[in-house]
Amino acid sequence: MPPFSPQDVAATERAAVPATPAAAVDTAPETPDLRPYDALLLYSFGGPNKPEDVVPFLRNVTAGKGIPDSRLEEVGEHYYGFGGKSPINEQNLALKAALEAELARRGIELPVVWGNRNWEPYTDDAITELEALGARNAVALVTSAYSSYSGCRQYREDLAVVLDRRGQLGPEGSTGVQFDKVRSYFNHPGFAQANVDAVLDGYAALAEKGGDTAAARLVFVTHSIPDTMEAASRIAYATYSEQHLDLARVVAAAVSERLGHEVAWDLAYCSRSGPPSQPWLEPDVNDHLEAIAQDGVRDVVLSPIGFVSDHMEVAYDLDTEAVQTATELGMTAVRAGTVGTREPFVRGLVDLLVERAAIARGEAVAEATVGDLPAFRSVCAPGCCLRRDGEPSGVPALCSTDVHS
């Protein structure tokens, strides 16, 4: 039984979105129209592939912050503990292959190019590949579901900066390959469904370990950000934390329905960095586990709802640190999966591409959502999701109504 009924799924035009596939018909389905796009940029964070990559990668991530290599070596211990290799690159390749398969299944001919902000293949490499393919209009799909500086604007800034370095940034944007982006998709039904499925798998794993699923606490976890970045994200309709809470309510309700009992849940954060004097979103997941242990909670399902795949923040901060904390507290803890290449997620991403293409063609579009928040913008507002609230960066950002604000 799917967790989302038609009345649970909202759209900007309030169009009904079916919860189950339409009945099969004799005629072949029409191939979705992705005009004007002739390529897809799968755009991600990047990560090191071997120990020698770790510090150079971290230099890229922290560029402009004046962090010495000695400190980067300390942070790099997280990666060295996994052989100096982040799992994110292989997972992006798996997602790329899954997207290609889903596009082919629908009869859509669209090359998929992978690029990263912080490691190979870099943004510049991806643009070069797009040009070699003869692409003129690319749509970017960022591997971050939520809207914030780190999850949206920083990618748009990177595109603009790289194009400027290539001599391809004009007053209105790119003078070479044109770029649009897919909206932040945290409240798309496909992303929600994949998270519901992952959490249900987590409860099943907890039962196998002898945990009490009826009393287990569901703890959603996402990457913490500075409070000032949280405040700046409000321009996108709701702050970063509000976006997570909106989806968490949907997922918890669907899980409760499937399990047949109410699931108690919370939202916690991981991966905070920066000086202790700088406020970041809390509670930290380890602190939160200690707090609920004091309340008598003995069984926990950790759901990394803020992450698309099991990269380092999940592998280290949750699978290593948080699980160890739970064990020391006498808890039975299970970490639910991320959406990865789950079928509802991949199918939903292609639905989003079809939606974005229709918007680009000027057509009226019903943008499917779950929860209480609207579909977020495909074309960002000026000053959207700054790094610090009220402080324009002076860095251009593509895919906006004003690239230079």
Side-chain angles (χ1 to χ4, degrees):
M1 174 182 174
F4 305 121
S5 62
Q7 59 267 32
D8 292 328
V9 185
T12 54
E13 295 188 355
R14 309 307 301 171
V17 179
T20 55
V25 293
D26 293 334
T27 56
E30 183 178 349
T31 300
D33 188 355
L34 258 67
R35 293 173 303 147
Y37 303 126
D38 50 17
L40 167 62
L41 171 61
L42 180 63
Y43 203 14
S44 194
F45 190 83
N49 286 311
K50 54 186 183 298
E52 306 92 276
D53 296 343
V54 171
V55 169
F57 161 73
L58 292 173
R59 287 193 199 112
N60 290 340
V61 174
T62 61
K65 296 181 180 179
I67 299 176
D69 279 4
S70 58
R71 174 58 182 150
L72 298 182
E73 286 282 3
E74 293 177 19
V75 175
E77 289 300 325
H78 296 180
Y79 291 93
Y80 298 136
F82 290 84
K85 181 177 181 179
S86 169
I88 193 173
N89 294 322
E90 290 180 357
Q91 290 166 10
N92 279 326
L93 286 170
L95 180 57
K96 178 177 181 288
L99 285 167
E100 289 168 337
E102 177 64 12
L103 289 165
R105 188 188 70 80
R106 300 197 199 186
I108 302 170
E109 295 184 7
L110 190 76
V112 183
V113 171
W114 168 41
N116 297 313
R117 280 199 350 244
N118 298 298
W119 201 249
E120 301 166 350
Y122 289 105
T123 304
D124 190 62
D125 300 323
I127 294 174
T128 297
E129 184 176 352
L130 288 166
E131 289 178 340
L133 290 168
R136 297 298 303 162
N137 294 283
V139 57
L141 176 63
V142 175
T143 59
S144 175
Y146 301 85
S147 187
S148 70
Y149 177 75
S150 298
C152 180
R153 186 183 178 95
Q154 196 167 14
Y155 287 92
R156 299 189 295 109
E157 286 184 351
D158 194 55
L159 271 174
V161 167
V162 171
L163 286 168
D164 190 39
R165 193 183 304 139
R166 295 167 66 101
Q168 295 177 324
L169 185 69
E172 304 300 322
S174 177
T175 59
V177 179
Q178 302 295 302
F179 288 95
D180 287 336
K181 75 172 185 71
V182 169
R183 63 177 164 100
S184 297
Y185 47 83
F186 70 94
N187 59 350
H188 188 273
F191 185 65
Q193 178 67 72
N195 273 292
V196 170
D197 294 345
V199 170
L200 289 169
D201 289 347
Y203 272 87
L206 181 65
E208 291 178 1
K209 295 180 71 171
D212 183 353
T213 57
R217 183 71 64 90
L218 173 56
V219 179
F220 295 107
V221 187
T222 190
H223 202 303
S224 185
I225 60 173
D227 285 4
T228 186
M229 191 183 296
E230 156 81 354
S233 67
R234 184 176 296 280
I235 194 172
Y237 298 133
T239 67
Y240 175 80
S241 66
E242 290 167 347
Q243 295 164 43
H244 285 79
L245 289 168
D246 191 58
L247 177 61
R249 281 189 286 269
V250 170
V251 173
V255 169
S256 296
E257 181 180 349
R258 290 289 297 274
L259 294 180
H261 61 80
E262 193 70 22
V263 169
W265 63 273
D266 312 288
L267 176 65
Y269 300 89
C270 68
S271 310
R272 120 150 249 145
S273 60
S277 59
Q278 183 182 41
W280 283 53
L281 293 177
E282 296 178 336
D284 174 78
V285 62
N286 297 285
D287 295 338
H288 185 64
L289 290 173
E290 292 180 7
I292 63 176
Q294 292 176 5
D295 292 337
V297 174
R298 290 293 172 262
D299 299 283
V300 175
V301 174
L302 297 168
S303 169
I305 199 172
F307 302 92
V308 168
S309 62
D310 293 11
H311 48 80
M312 190 55 67
E313 286 83 352
V314 176
Y316 183 81
D317 294 18
L318 296 187
D319 292 352
T320 303
E321 284 195 328
V323 169
Q324 180 179 342
T325 296
T327 300
E328 292 171 352
L329 292 166
M331 290 176 163
T332 300
V334 168
R335 199 267 290 172
T338 48
V339 294
T341 57
R342 288 175 180 266
E343 190 269 343
F345 176 53
V346 175
R347 185 181 68 243
L349 291 179
V350 176
D351 290 343
L352 282 158
L353 296 174
V354 174
E355 170 196 291
R356 185 64 186 91
I359 293 171
R361 295 193 301 270
E363 299 173 7
V365 179
E367 298 174 273
T369 62
V370 296
D372 296 328
L373 294 175
F376 278 31
R377 303 178 184 93
S378 297
V379 181
C380 294
C384 191
C385 290
L386 296 169
R387 182 192 293 269
R388 299 179 184 86
D389 191 29
E391 295 183 23
S393 64
V395 180
L398 240 56
C399 310
S400 172
T401 54
D402 185 348
V403 172
H404 295 278
S405 70

